[in-house]
Amino acid sequence: MSTQEESELDIAAVARLSGTTSRTLRHYDAIGLLPPARTGRDGRRHYAQAELLRLQHILVLRELGTPLPTIQSIVDTDDDATTIALLREHRRGLERERDRFATLAATVAHTIESLEQGVAMTSDDILNGFDHDKYAPEARERWGAPVVDRAYTQWRDLGPDAQSAHLAEHEAISEAIAALASSDADPAGASAQEIVSRHFAWVSRLWTPNAESYTGLGQMYVDDERFRASYDKYGSGTAAFLRDAIAEYAKQLS
């Protein structure tokens, strides 16, 4: 047995140390995400340091909620400088998650204390630490870190009252779009375009898109099942109608 083989770990050991499963590792091999260093005569996969480093990168991205296709494109980067820059960004994401969980732990502790002492808590105190930061890593991959960081900063700067008003406006816009979709209205018609102008203003409160990015946002509302579901809960076809209306509205942004 060579020195390299002696330092390798078999699939069972890697699964145990990484907290994943042998089935998952076999799947990663099957899709080309994590091929083993070699496969033994008995069919057992073996992993060397290079594969373990790649697995670490994969698992970090998984913890950040990154989809597998995006993970593959990231870990396939051959440039060391790019890989290091990405890892630094992932580390910052993990640190943000660490801070968020610390806040949540403090919120729960505060709640326990308040219940024990019979002291009322404010709504802000009760919900402190619950936000949408879990989507930040994916958003950074999609739109770029500067855009997302600026949007998050602007969101925090709005304050509770303006945040509530912003969410209420989105609710009203979604209901109006759903009503138009259910009535077979024309996405390019005046009524639809008036609502979409409100949607554009709503988006622009945190990020001002151009024609291409706004059209892409509308398409994402349909292509991404999470966004599609968030709009179609107001009525079937709402996301598709909004996409078509946005595509028409974006023409004037060119």
Side-chain angles (χ1 to χ4, degrees):
M1 180 180 295
S2 67
T3 302
Q4 178 179 338
E5 291 178 353
E6 290 177 352
S7 66
E8 293 174 351
L9 297 176
D10 67 16
I11 190 170
V14 172
R16 183 178 67 256
L17 290 172
S18 65
T20 185
T21 65
S22 295
R23 181 178 181 180
T24 296
L25 293 171
R26 288 193 294 270
H27 175 63
Y28 288 170
D29 182 15
I31 65 175
L33 180 58
L34 182 66
R38 66 181 181 88
T39 302
R41 294 179 181 177
D42 58 356
R44 186 177 292 271
R45 294 165 174 81
H46 296 262
Y47 301 82
Q49 186 179 54
E51 289 72 40
L52 295 179
L53 286 171
R54 185 177 174 96
L55 176 60
Q56 182 203 68
H57 201 174
I58 292 168
L59 294 179
V60 167
L61 290 167
R62 268 184 48 190
E63 288 292 332
L64 295 172
T66 309
L68 280 182
T70 304
I71 289 177
Q72 182 136 21
S73 67
I74 293 172
V75 299
D76 281 343
T77 302
D78 292 329
D79 180 53
D80 287 344
T82 300
T83 299
I84 291 170
L86 288 169
L87 285 171
R88 283 178 173 155
E89 174 61 25
H90 304 330
R91 183 188 66 187
R92 287 192 289 270
L94 290 171
E95 290 171 344
R96 285 189 293 268
E97 281 295 282
R98 176 201 62 198
D99 294 342
R100 187 173 72 87
F101 277 110
T103 300
L104 288 175
T107 296
V108 172
H110 186 192
T111 302
I112 293 171
E113 180 181 355
S114 297
L115 290 172
E116 288 177 340
Q117 297 178 1
V119 178
M121 297 176 66
T122 68
S123 298
D124 287 343
D125 286 340
I126 293 171
L127 298 177
N128 186 31
F130 293 92
D131 54 35
H132 302 290
D133 281 350
K134 66 181 180 179
Y135 299 115
E138 181 180 349
R140 287 183 173 85
E141 295 295 339
R142 188 188 294 270
W143 306 112
V147 170
V148 175
D149 289 340
R150 185 163 56 250
Y152 270 72
T153 298
Q154 291 174 338
W155 171 255
R156 288 192 296 268
D157 289 346
L158 286 178
D161 292 342
Q163 288 174 356
S164 296
H166 190 71
L167 295 174
E169 171 67 356
H170 182 256
E171 186 88 5
I173 291 169
S174 301
E175 291 175 349
I177 290 292
L180 290 172
S182 65
S183 65
D184 293 325
D186 180 5
S191 296
Q193 291 302 296
E194 179 181 355
I195 298 300
V196 172
S197 70
R198 286 174 60 189
H199 181 269
F200 181 79
W202 177 81
V203 171
S204 298
R205 186 72 187 270
L206 303 177
W207 162 61
T208 304
N210 57 26
E212 181 181 2
S213 57
Y214 192 42
T215 301
L217 181 66
Q219 187 63 48
M220 185 186 70
Y221 289 159
V222 174
D223 292 344
D224 190 309
E225 61 182 15
R226 296 165 300 180
F227 284 96
R228 185 170 65 248
S230 72
Y231 280 108
D232 282 358
K233 71 180 181 182
Y234 295 96
S236 179
T238 301
F241 187 93
L242 179 57
R243 174 201 59 195
D244 296 342
I246 284 176
E248 181 66 27
Y249 184 87
K251 293 177 182 178
Q252 65 180 289
L253 301 177
S254 301

